């Protein structure tokens, strides 16, 4: 009886200690991210590029319960955070003058309530909270699922989140950080033990929730969602019922995604409403004159390019190629999963993305997998 009581006390102390150090990581990263909240994004504007589009869509969802931003554009609702002329990025889509921003809807859905309550600052503060949660989950996974000590987990996580690009995208109004959190949730589900039917069910639900959320944040996250989907099906290959239900769920979700996009955007992706793609088609978002061999320079440039390489700005990322060495060297658990997630993101940024950089901060296309790279 005494032994059982002692074990319970030890477990409670361990749980409290875990909450404290993970909470400390989250608090430090939140403070780092919030430093950028009041910054000007460009001359005469607190937000720039796609940020006003997400904020206008969030405003429309909060007030009108739809994605039609024509009235928000007409009333210049963006002047609070974009005091200069705004590129609408879209055109009237029908006789009613409906205009829909060429961006997927999940980020505006997440930001609708914060924007209604606190405007652009509320949106940025919410994304700082998402960043803090992403850092906390990174540190927790490193310790609990990958066997890294608490001090090293905390130090490495803060080091990676304190520099570019993660610190900057901590408050920029883009889907990058929510997508990074979804990717970590995917990893958490795929590395969870399957020692009981209930544990298997929780693992599949968490993994599939992340897989299904990623494309709704942005279609560019489909490759990383595909890696997660393939991985969860591989884990379930000996559980016929769970395998079949998961596969059918994924198929139904894909059909729903395409159907909704045809209904709202009039195409297979959100880019169908973009004014830049009227003449060239929605898939020209990847470029109209693609030189595959020319883009291979990005394989190294994404890391070391003088202006847009992430390691050129945050030298901690110079360690990243070492992590891809054969698993025998380090005996890293789940190393193949991490390498697959980082690699598919790196290849997408190299060969599919129009540019290898963000609007003004390098590494935008890599942010979704950089917490996995941190692991």
């Amino acid at each position: 009886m005494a032994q059982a009581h002692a074990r319970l006390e030890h477990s409670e102390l361990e749980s409290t200690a875990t909450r404290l150090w993970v909470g400390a990581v989250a608090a430090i990263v939140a403070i780092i991210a919030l430093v950028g909240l009041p910054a000007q994004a460009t001359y005469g504007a607190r937000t720039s590029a796609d940020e006003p589009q997400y904020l206008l869509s969030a405003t429309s969802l909060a007030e009108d319960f739809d994605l039609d931003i024509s009235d928000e554009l007409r009333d210049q609702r963006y002047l609070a955070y974009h005091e200069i002329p705004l590129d609408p990025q879209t055109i009237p889509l029908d006789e009613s003058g409906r205009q829909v921003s060429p961006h997927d809807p999940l980020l505006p859905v997440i930001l609708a309530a914060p924007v209604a309550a606190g405007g652009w600052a509320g949106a940025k503060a919410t994304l700082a909270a998402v960043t803090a949660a992403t850092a906390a989950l990174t540190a927790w996974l490193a310790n609990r699922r990958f066997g890294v000590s608490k001090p090293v987990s905390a130090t490495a996580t803060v080091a990676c989140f304190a520099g570019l690009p993660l610190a900057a995208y901590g408050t920029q109004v883009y889907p990058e950080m929510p997508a990074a959190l979804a990717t970590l949730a995917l990893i958490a589900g795929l590395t969870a033990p399957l020692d009981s039917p209930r544990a298997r069910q929780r693992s599949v639900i968490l993994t599939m929730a992340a897989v299904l959320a990623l494309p709704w944040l942005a279609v560019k996250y489909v490759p990383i969602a595909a890696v997660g989907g393939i991985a969860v099906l591989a884990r379930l290959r000996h559980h016929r019922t769970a395998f079949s239900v998961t596969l059918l769920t994924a198929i139904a979700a894909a059909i729903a995604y395409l159907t909704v996009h045809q209904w709202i955007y009039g195409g297979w992706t959100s880019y169908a409403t973009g004014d830049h793609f009227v003449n060239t088609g929605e898939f020209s978002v990847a470029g109209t004159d693609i030189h595959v061999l020319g883009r291979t320079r990005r394989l190294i440039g994404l890391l070391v390019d003088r202006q847009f390489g992430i390691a050129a700005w945050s030298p901690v990322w110079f360690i990243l190629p070492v992590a891809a060495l054969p698993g025998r060297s380090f005996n890293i658990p789940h190393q193949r999963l991490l390498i697959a997630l980082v690699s598919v993101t790196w290849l997408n940024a190299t060969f599919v993305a129009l540019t290898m950089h963000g609007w003004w901060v390098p590494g935008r296309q890599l942010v979704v997998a950089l917490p996995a790279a941190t692991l």
Side-chain angles (χ1 to χ4, degrees), residues 201-330:
Q201 184 181 46
R202 287 198 301 266
S203 169
V204 172
I205 290 174
L206 180 59
T207 304
M208 290 305 296
V211 167
L212 300 182
L214 281 163
W216 288 99
L217 284 167
V219 68
K220 64 184 176 182
Y221 300 133
V222 167
I224 204 165
V227 169
I230 292 170
V232 71
L233 289 174
R235 284 193 99 196
L236 296 174
R237 63 187 182 277
H238 300 305
H239 306 277
R240 185 173 299 178
T241 301
F243 180 95
S244 300
V245 170
T246 302
L247 179 60
L248 290 173
T249 300
I251 293 172
I255 294 172
Y257 179 89
L258 295 174
T259 302
V260 170
H261 276 70
Q262 284 286 339
W263 173 46
I264 294 178
Y265 300 96
W268 301 115
T269 71
S270 61
Y271 299 118
T273 63
D275 57 0
H276 297 294
F277 315 121
V278 170
N279 296 322
T280 55
E282 59 191 292
F283 295 104
S284 65
V285 67
T288 56
D289 189 16
I290 300 173
H291 297 279
V292 176
L293 289 178
R295 289 189 178 186
T296 56
R297 71 182 70 182
R298 298 186 191 175
L299 290 168
I300 300 174
L302 285 163
L303 191 68
V304 300
D305 181 88
R306 204 166 10 174
Q307 293 184 11
F308 303 117
I310 58 173
W313 289 91
S314 293
V316 67
W317 298 116
F318 277 119
I319 303 172
L320 183 55
V322 180
L325 294 176
R328 294 178 183 177
S329 303
F330 301 101

Side-chain angles (χ1 to χ4, degrees), residues 137-138 140-147 182-195 199-200 202-208 210 227-228 231-232 235 332-339 341 372 375:
L137 185 53
T138 301
W140 184 87
L141 284 170
N143 175 245
R144 298 297 292 270
R145 299 286 170 80
F146 294 87
T183 301
L184 286 179
L186 187 154
I187 295 171
L190 290 172
T191 58
L194 303 180
D195 48 10
R200 182 168 64 248
R202 287 198 301 266
S203 169
V204 172
I205 290 174
L206 180 59
T207 304
M208 290 305 296
V227 169
V232 71
R235 284 193 99 196
I332 301 172
H334 311 291
Q335 186 183 29
R336 290 182 179 178
L337 172 63
L338 296 182
I339 290 177
L341 293 171
L375 290 174

Side-chain angles (χ1 to χ4, degrees), residues 14-35:
E14 179 70 19
S15 178
T16 301
T18 298
R19 284 196 294 269
L20 287 173
W21 76 268
V22 169
V25 168
I28 293 170
V29 170
I31 292 170
I32 293 170
L34 286 170
V35 168

Side-chain angles (χ1 to χ4, degrees), residues 117-138:
W120 65 270
K124 285 181 173 282
T126 299
L127 289 170
V130 171
T131 303
T134 305
L137 185 53
T138 301

